[in-house]
Amino acid sequence: MAILVLALSWVEAAKKPGVPIQVTPSPAVAPETLPVYGVPASNALLSVDSPSNIPDYVRYEPYNTFPRELDLWNLEGRRLIQSPPVVTPDKSAFVYTEVMFTPDDRQTFSKLYWVPVTPLPQRPLERLPSEAAQEKPAPPVAFETYAARFDPRKTTRIRKAIADVGFQRVNRFDFRTLTVVDWSYTGNRLLFKERSGTLHLGVRTSNILIYDQARGTVTIYPEVQRIIQHYWAQHGNLPHLEKLSWDIQPLGWEPNSDEGVLLKAWAYDLKEKRFLGVWRYDVSSERTQLLSLTDMAPAVAANGWLPAPVPAPPQAEQKKSLKERIRHPFSYDNSASSPPNALTPKR
């Protein structure tokens, strides 16, 4: 009876308005590392039909730990630069961008690709799983396994283009790039950004884009810039905002969210750069909220993974055969008792 009265009182208290709960930011995401070579997991269940019998030999690190930009060093000389792959939270697919440069028109354009992660190669089972578990498995070539599954240059046959900028028309000295920001909490949405400008002059504007994997659509949100521009036109002393260059930097998703996008904004001309605040944009309701007018670091999630091959352990020296161990009676002896390069018989 006392338990029933306590439960009813708790329900009545929950209906009353109270103090809003302060949500603490999620802790930093730790890197995910596989066990050491040759050491099987304690709770691993070996099965003939289970692909988990084969180790992954890949180390996953959080991708969105800081605002990342494309490394476009020597783009004019290399003509093509690929970004590192960013794996989904469930490690089923990854995305990457390509930036291309045409020397004739001095134009830069970019494209975003989605690639499914291929399963690990199956090894033939010559013995029962109970017998194979007692032996140390021979480690495969880790880099070759990683390259076949996560290297953009080796997965061009199964990739799918999601978005592209700059391919529609020829515009000399035009500069457009796409950069991956992060996956959402469930991996259903991908946040990336577009930066456009003029070669060797700088950025003209930037936009945020979201790829919805369930719908298969890519949506651009130019209203974010218009809302920020309207706010400063009403509350600030920034005339002629439409003539300034804009840089909207998406920081990532809110922790445990598929709707809230956090971003920073700047406006600048040839002489001055002005910070326009930290903002939050809700993808579902399409509403923008000002969080801070000072440059601060909000709590941002890190949902995507950055894969890297695990270095292979040093191989033990194999025993030489009897024929290899028998040395020639005359060979070079570089020991301390003999002068260098002295030809002495071996006994």
Side-chain angles (χ1 to χ4, degrees):
M1 187 63 180
I3 297 176
L4 180 59
V5 173
L6 182 61
L8 291 175
S9 62
W10 180 83
V11 172
E12 292 297 332
K15 295 180 180 178
K16 299 180 181 180
V19 180
I21 301 174
Q22 299 293 333
V23 180
T24 57
S26 61
V29 183
E32 197 174 296
T33 311
L34 291 175
V36 185
Y37 281 86
V39 181
S42 58
N43 57 351
L45 298 177
L46 296 179
S47 173
V48 177
D49 300 326
S50 176
S52 61
N53 295 340
I54 305 176
D56 198 359
Y57 299 107
V58 177
R59 185 175 187 268
Y60 299 94
E61 298 180 356
Y63 171 75
N64 192 32
T65 53
F66 57 90
R68 296 180 181 266
E69 299 291 344
L70 292 173
D71 186 9
L72 301 180
W73 182 83
N74 196 21
L75 175 62
E76 299 183 16
R78 298 170 60 180
R79 310 286 177 87
L80 174 65
I81 291 180
Q82 294 174 330
S83 70
V86 183
V87 186
T88 57
D90 59 354
K91 304 179 181 65
S92 61
F94 68 89
V95 292
Y96 70 96
T97 59
E98 284 184 350
V99 181
M100 288 149 281
F101 177 80
T102 55
D104 297 336
D105 303 317
R106 312 290 291 176
Q107 184 176 354
T108 305
F109 40 92
S110 182
K111 185 174 289 189
L112 175 68
Y113 292 99
W114 178 88
V115 183
V117 176
T118 58
L120 289 166
Q122 297 290 336
R123 293 182 299 182
L125 293 177
E126 300 178 357
R127 300 183 182 181
L128 294 175
S130 58
E131 298 176 354
Q134 300 176 1
E135 299 181 359
K136 294 183 178 180
V141 182
F143 184 78
E144 293 182 359
T145 305
Y146 163 81
R149 304 175 68 221
F150 296 103
D151 191 353
R153 294 172 296 182
K154 296 183 179 297
T155 56
T156 55
R157 295 184 178 180
I158 58 176
R159 68 182 183 181
K160 180 180 69 174
I162 296 178
D164 60 81
V165 289
F167 288 85
Q168 291 75 18
R169 61 175 183 173
V170 177
N171 191 2
R172 299 197 65 187
F173 301 99
D174 189 34
F175 182 87
R176 292 177 179 267
T177 60
L178 294 175
T179 307
V180 178
V181 179
D182 197 10
W183 288 95
S184 62
Y185 176 69
T186 60
N188 294 328
R189 289 172 174 169
L190 172 69
L191 174 64
F192 59 103
K193 63 180 178 180
E194 173 195 359
R195 303 187 74 185
S196 60
T198 306
L199 186 66
H200 302 314
L201 292 182
V203 177
R204 180 173 60 252
T205 184
S206 57
N207 290 298
I208 63 173
L209 298 93
I210 293 179
Y211 165 65
D212 195 321
Q213 189 171 2
R215 299 179 179 179
T217 58
V218 175
T219 307
I220 188 172
Y221 297 91
E223 64 268 17
V224 175
Q225 178 178 339
R226 292 196 295 264
I227 292 174
I228 299 176
Q229 180 178 342
H230 175 74
Y231 173 84
W232 282 99
Q234 298 293 328
H235 300 85
N237 187 15
L238 289 176
H240 309 295
L241 279 173
E242 67 278 357
K243 298 181 180 179
L244 300 179
S245 298
W246 282 76
D247 188 9
I248 296 178
Q249 181 187 50
L251 304 177
W253 300 87
E254 285 185 321
N256 305 329
S257 174
D258 277 6
E259 291 82 19
V261 176
L262 302 174
L263 54 97
K264 293 182 180 181
W266 288 270
Y268 49 89
D269 53 13
L270 297 178
K271 297 180 179 180
E272 183 182 5
K273 182 176 181 179
R274 180 74 176 268
F275 181 69
L276 302 182
V278 182
W279 298 78
R280 177 187 182 273
Y281 183 75
D282 194 295
V283 178
S284 300
S285 62
E286 298 183 358
R287 298 186 62 180
T288 308
Q289 177 186 0
L290 176 63
L291 299 180
S292 176
L293 290 177
T294 59
D295 195 352
M296 47 85 71
V300 182
N303 302 315
W305 298 102
L306 191 64
V310 175
Q315 299 291 337
E317 185 178 358
Q318 299 180 355
K319 294 183 180 180
K320 296 182 180 180
S321 62
L322 179 61
K323 184 177 181 181
E324 293 175 348
R325 284 183 292 169
I326 298 177
R327 292 179 294 183
H328 196 270
F330 293 96
S331 62
Y332 291 101
D333 186 6
N334 295 330
S335 60
S337 59
S338 303
N341 301 329
L343 187 63
T344 56
K346 292 288 184 178
R347 298 180 181 179

